[in-house]
Amino acid sequence: MSVEDAARKLGLEQRVLAALTAVTVGVDGSDVVTSGQVYDVVATGGAVRILIDPDKVPEPLQEELAQVIAPYVESLPGVERVVVKPRPRPVAQRERIPGIAHVVGVHSGKGGVGKSTVVVNLAVALAQRGLRVGLLDADVYGPSCPTLLGLSGRAEEDPEQGRIEPKVGHGVKVMSLGFLLPEGQALIWRGSLVDEGLPQLFEHVAWGELDVLLIDLPPGTSDVHIAVARYVRLAGIVTVTAPGQVSVDDVRRGMEMFADMAVPCLGLVENMSGVACRGCGHVAAVFGAGGAHELAEQTGLPLLAEIPFEPEVSELCDGGRPVVTAAPGSRTAEGIERIAAALVERLGLGARVEASA
Ligand SMILES: Nc1ncnc2c1ncn2[C@@H]1O[C@H](COP(=O)(O)OP(=O)(O)OP(=O)(O)O)[C@@H](O)[C@H]1O
């Protein structure tokens, strides 16, 4: 792990990594972190996953290493549970895509909880802070980002570069499967099509220089999620859920899947946290209550925003007008701005924002 990546880790992850540098195994005297035997540490609250690199620690020795480090890490303050396992093979083939500083996935457990609405508005909010932002709509089941940004038509290939030009909406460079498919047609993405098609959306698109590329992932857990995490190292995921328990349970499964692939969750967003009355602003809890709070408490992850269902948000967004520009005073826009601020801080983009002010 690079020094830069290690420095971006959360408090507990950093403390565990630092503690593990005291563990030396092997003859050359180097510790398990510096030698790369520990590939990554991902903490979901007090639950710590230590991923061992199977290329550095062959299978017969993995159990031995686990027996040394698990009790040691368990004894550290703030650690409740330790799982030591080999990182999946293959894990992110690409450490970085040239020109793209950070890649962040946005996912949800269930469909229809407002994930695309959140990711589109988040992209616009980040672009408004002066960042160079890309948005890859990888929701193969229903690519809706173009509509939410008022974009349509097909993406064209630049014959000289041999690359597809992303469309630009509200200052965000956008690529969507919706730009590649004939209008109204769906494509069933499975197996090899996912493995071959997805890398093209990263590599064959003329993204240029980006501070952050957001990916609108499909809901649930699928081949697409695995393919993305295997292709490029994600800085993390932002998890969108509705407050009801079923949605929260689905989300937990998705977070576990990403943690197993060494991808941390950067925070939770609760959308549709009740319905805001157009007249008095009172918020009624019609989609369940408290789920995301409970999840945040259990996992120790930050709850970045709670966004109520605001009927005018739906009208504006579905009409291609992101609320962060069309209704900046709305609770949704305020929630999105909080998520944007948290992401800027977590990705270390504060200086870039200041420089572009
Ligand atoms: N906070 C909100 N207030 C009002 N309407 C909202 C809000 N969030 C989302 N919506 C509306 O809910 C519908 C579903 O939202 P969206 O398409 O973003 O969900 P999704 O989780 O991305 O769905 P999918 O599963 O299709 O990917 C849209 O019509 C959207 O405008």
Side-chain angles (χ1 to χ4, degrees), residues 24 37 48 50 68 121 126 161 171 221 227 297 324 346:
T24 50
Q37 295 177 67
V48 176
I50 300 171
V68 174
N121 278 281
L126 291 169
Q161 280 195 55
T221 48
E297 250 166 50
V324 286
R346 184 67 199 274

Side-chain angles (χ1 to χ4, degrees), residues 111-117 139 219 271-272 307-310 313-314 318:
V113 298
K115 166 184 54 64
S116 301
T117 305
D139 189 343
N271 189 31
M272 308 195 178
I307 301 172
F309 184 93
E310 297 180 291
V313 164
S314 186
D318 294 358

Side-chain angles (χ1 to χ4, degrees), residues 19-38 52 56-58 60-70 72 84:
L20 284 172
T21 58
V23 179
T24 50
V25 178
V27 281
D28 68 348
S30 67
D31 66 82
V32 289
V33 178
T34 312
S35 63
Q37 295 177 67
V38 168
I52 295 176
K56 301 273 168 59
V57 187
L61 299 177
Q62 288 171 12
E63 185 53 38
E64 235 171 78
L65 182 60
Q67 280 174 10
V68 174
I69 57 182
Y72 174 60
V84 183

Side-chain angles (χ1 to χ4, degrees), residues 29 43 97 138 157 166 207 217 231 272 275 287 295 303 318 336 348:
I97 294 173
E157 191 174 312
W207 292 110
L217 292 162
Y231 186 65
M272 308 195 178
V275 176
F287 301 109
L295 188 61
L303 181 52
D318 294 358
I336 299 284

Side-chain angles (χ1 to χ4, degrees), residues 107-108 110-120 137 139 141-145 148 216-220 240 270-274 307-319 323 331-332:
H107 89 123
S108 66
K110 287 196 95 56
V113 298
K115 166 184 54 64
S116 301
T117 305
V118 168
V119 73
V120 160
D137 181 3
D139 189 343
Y141 308 119
S144 54
C145 292
L148 298 175
D216 186 7
L217 292 162
V240 183
E270 186 178 273
N271 189 31
M272 308 195 178
S273 303
I307 301 172
F309 184 93
E310 297 180 291
E312 63 276 25
V313 164
S314 186
E315 284 156 28
L316 286 168
C317 290
D318 294 358
V323 276
R331 292 187 199 214
T332 304

Side-chain angles (χ1 to χ4, degrees), residues 186-219:
L187 179 69
I188 299 169
W189 274 49
R190 291 230 176 83
S192 64
L193 188 55
V194 172
D195 289 336
E196 286 157 25
L198 262 175
Q200 294 193 15
L201 292 178
F202 290 103
E203 300 284 350
H204 292 176
V205 174
W207 292 110
E209 296 283 319
L210 294 180
D211 296 307
V212 58
L213 175 66
L214 297 178
I215 306 182
D216 186 7
L217 292 162

